[in-house]
Amino acid sequence: MSDKKPKILFIGPTPPPYSGPELSMQQFLESKLLNETFKITFLKTNFRTDNTKKGKLDLSMITNFFVYFSKLLKHLIFKRPNGVYYPITPTQIGWIGRDTWTILLSKVFGVKVIIHLRGSHFKLNFQQFNDLVKKMVGFSLRRVDCAIVQAKYLSDQFQPYIKHHKIAVLYQAMDIAEYTDNHDIVEENGKILVMGHMTKAKGFTDILKIIPDICLEFPKAKFYFAGNIRRGERGVFYNQYTGEKIEYEDPYQAEAKILNSRFKDNYVNLGIISGKDKMKHLQTAEVFLTASYSEGFSRSLLEAMAIGKPAVFTPVGAHREVFQNKVHGYTFIPGDLAQMKKALRKILSDENNRKAIGRNNRSNVVENFSIETIASNFKGIITKTLAS
């Protein structure tokens, strides 16, 4: 019976590192529903376990290029999949090095190709691609059978290359049994948790700038950052809300400034956290904060909401379409420090409001973003694509 299932080759990263794309791929691979419906094989793409080295062109990347495509060729020849599911990159080097050739090689073997944009900045980045690369990328996109985006708002990311009827929306998924609101956990007064790469594009340097003003008004406020600091930007170069180019700032210099100030004790660099350590910090936080300039759908934001935390966040990607200001937290335009401070003041000054927002967030995640719900939607997307 299992041999009659449609065969799907999943291509992508799995942990480590424990970032959104890796964790989401792992969720799909472990989904009971998807495995009951399809015969799934997997080709792992990430050969680095450190996010700071992602996107660097070096000898290991060149070696991995040949290793990856030899494995892909073996899958296509011997496994004979009916479909390929492949999360794409938003960068020019990613399309030159792997994305274009993965799509085209799969199509040579007559396989249906489903790509997934796990972000919101492909369209803006594409405008800056080399003209020849644009033609190459456009040629491959026209051969895609389905393109998944993380919000209805992002349905135009591949215009004019992929027709509207081939675009599907798939929201972020959460294991609501693992990420649950434990009322026995005592929150730390004033604890504000930030999770993600500590870069300008993630709003790290912006948050550091507002720490003095917030902590003068709320002396117990303490900002905990979970992630890794890295110089440069390898994917996000534009403010997805305004379309403006992001003015780069060195995160190490910004951190040094706060560490050499009177507010050094209001700043904690946790480094990369995962497992029980991450859960502990999520559960003991009073507020979750994300200041990202561009997202598809932040996994860490959904994790915090699943645990029943109120949030202060930027209305980028899916956030502007699935979360409401004053209902699920408070929003601010990326890069607008005055708005960020205003949002934090509102949420820090009213404990009853924080609790009410947290309850709303937990209910919203349970109702709309469970892994069972999202896997069912994904099953429908794959089935429809195979039948097209």
Side-chain angles (χ1 to χ4, degrees):
M1 184 70 178
S2 62
D3 289 339
K4 295 182 180 180
K5 297 178 184 178
K7 294 181 286 186
I8 308 296
L9 172 60
F10 277 58
I11 304 174
T14 53
Y18 293 88
S19 301
E22 288 81 8
L23 290 168
S24 294
M25 178 61 77
Q26 183 172 278
Q27 281 184 322
F28 288 144
L29 291 173
E30 294 175 353
S31 166
K32 181 180 179 181
L33 175 63
L34 294 178
N35 280 282
E36 286 176 347
T37 309
F38 308 109
K39 185 174 183 180
I40 295 174
T41 53
F42 176 59
L43 174 55
K44 184 172 181 175
T45 59
N46 55 322
F47 63 103
R48 289 168 172 155
T49 58
D50 183 352
N51 268 323
T52 62
K53 297 178 180 178
K54 275 187 175 181
K56 287 187 176 181
L57 181 59
D58 54 22
L59 182 59
S60 62
M61 178 178 280
I62 295 171
T63 301
N64 187 66
F65 173 89
F66 292 102
V67 172
Y68 165 74
F69 279 105
S70 65
K71 290 181 178 179
L72 175 59
L73 194 58
K74 288 180 181 178
H75 273 280
L76 293 171
I77 293 173
F78 297 110
K79 301 293 185 180
R80 309 297 294 181
N82 303 103
V84 163
Y85 165 69
Y86 177 66
I88 60 163
T89 63
T91 64
Q92 179 169 263
I93 191 171
W95 277 91
I96 295 172
R98 189 164 64 202
D99 296 358
T100 296
W101 313 115
T102 298
I103 294 169
L104 295 179
L105 186 59
S106 298
K107 295 308 296 181
V108 165
F109 284 83
V111 178
K112 299 280 187 177
V113 174
I114 301 171
I115 62 172
H116 195 164
L117 176 62
R118 305 198 64 87
S120 62
H121 38 271
F122 172 77
K123 187 175 181 180
L124 287 171
N125 286 0
F126 181 77
Q127 296 172 6
Q128 303 303 315
F129 284 12
N130 176 276
D131 287 343
L132 181 60
V133 176
K134 284 183 179 179
K135 291 180 180 179
M136 181 175 71
V137 173
F139 180 80
S140 61
L141 285 176
R142 286 192 177 95
R143 280 139 188 87
V144 166
D145 297 281
C146 177
I148 298 173
V149 292
Q150 291 187 290
K152 296 174 186 175
Y153 169 75
L154 300 171
S155 295
D156 67 344
Q157 289 290 299
F158 301 107
Q159 289 182 355
Y161 303 106
I162 301 179
K163 300 300 182 183
H164 183 74
H165 71 276
K166 291 185 176 182
I167 303 293
V169 176
L170 190 67
Y171 291 135
Q172 187 68 269
M174 190 53 48
D175 184 341
I176 57 176
E178 178 182 3
Y179 291 86
T180 185
D181 50 342
N182 187 340
H183 299 290
D184 296 328
I185 301 293
V186 178
E187 295 178 340
E188 294 179 22
N189 189 7
K191 181 172 182 177
I192 301 166
L193 181 63
V194 185
M195 293 172 58
H197 305 319
M198 294 153 74
T199 64
K200 171 66 176 181
K202 287 290 186 181
F204 173 66
T205 57
D206 291 342
I207 297 172
L208 294 184
K209 291 174 186 175
I210 60 96
I211 288 179
D213 286 346
I214 293 297
C215 293
L216 282 173
E217 190 171 347
F218 302 92
K220 292 185 179 180
K222 200 166 188 176
F223 291 76
Y224 288 75
F225 292 85
N228 55 305
I229 299 182
R230 69 184 191 196
R231 284 194 172 94
E233 300 293 350
R234 301 192 186 101
V236 180
F237 306 103
Y238 294 91
N239 183 328
Q240 186 254 323
Y241 190 90
T242 66
E244 299 172 347
K245 190 173 179 62
I246 298 173
E247 295 296 327
Y248 177 75
E249 294 174 334
D250 189 310
Y252 286 99
Q253 292 180 7
E255 183 189 46
K257 187 174 182 180
I258 200 72
L259 289 175
N260 290 319
S261 75
R262 58 180 282 200
F263 301 100
K264 62 182 180 181
D265 292 333
N266 300 99
Y267 168 83
V268 179
N269 182 343
L270 297 170
I272 297 173
I273 59 174
S274 60
K276 293 181 179 179
D277 194 25
K278 181 174 79 170
M279 195 65 69
K280 178 192 73 174
H281 285 289
L282 280 165
Q283 290 171 334
T284 56
E286 276 195 332
V287 175
F288 185 84
L289 169 63
T290 173
S292 181
Y293 281 74
S294 180
E295 292 284 354
F297 196 150
S298 169
R299 180 181 177 84
S300 60
L301 175 60
L302 202 61
E303 288 174 339
M305 288 183 170
I307 286 177
K309 300 301 174 180
V312 173
F313 58 95
T314 49
V316 293
H319 306 171
R320 68 167 63 187
E321 133 185 341
V322 299
F323 302 133
Q324 296 179 47
N325 187 35
K326 301 180 183 178
V327 175
H328 302 108
Y330 293 97
T331 65
F332 63 95
I333 295 173
D336 191 322
L337 304 190
Q339 281 195 10
M340 188 186 346
K341 287 187 286 188
K342 183 178 180 181
L344 281 169
R345 288 189 183 105
K346 285 181 179 180
I347 211 159
L348 289 171
S349 62
D350 191 337
E351 181 180 359
N352 290 333
N353 187 38
R354 287 200 305 273
K355 298 296 184 185
I357 290 174
R359 289 192 295 271
N360 284 341
N361 287 345
R362 171 65 183 174
S363 298
N364 186 32
V365 173
V366 170
E367 184 176 349
N368 298 300
F369 304 109
S370 71
I371 182 59
E372 292 79 13
T373 296
I374 303 305
S376 178
N377 294 340
F378 191 24
K379 170 190 169 182
I381 291 170
I382 296 174
T383 301
K384 180 180 177 182
T385 303
L386 295 180
S388 65

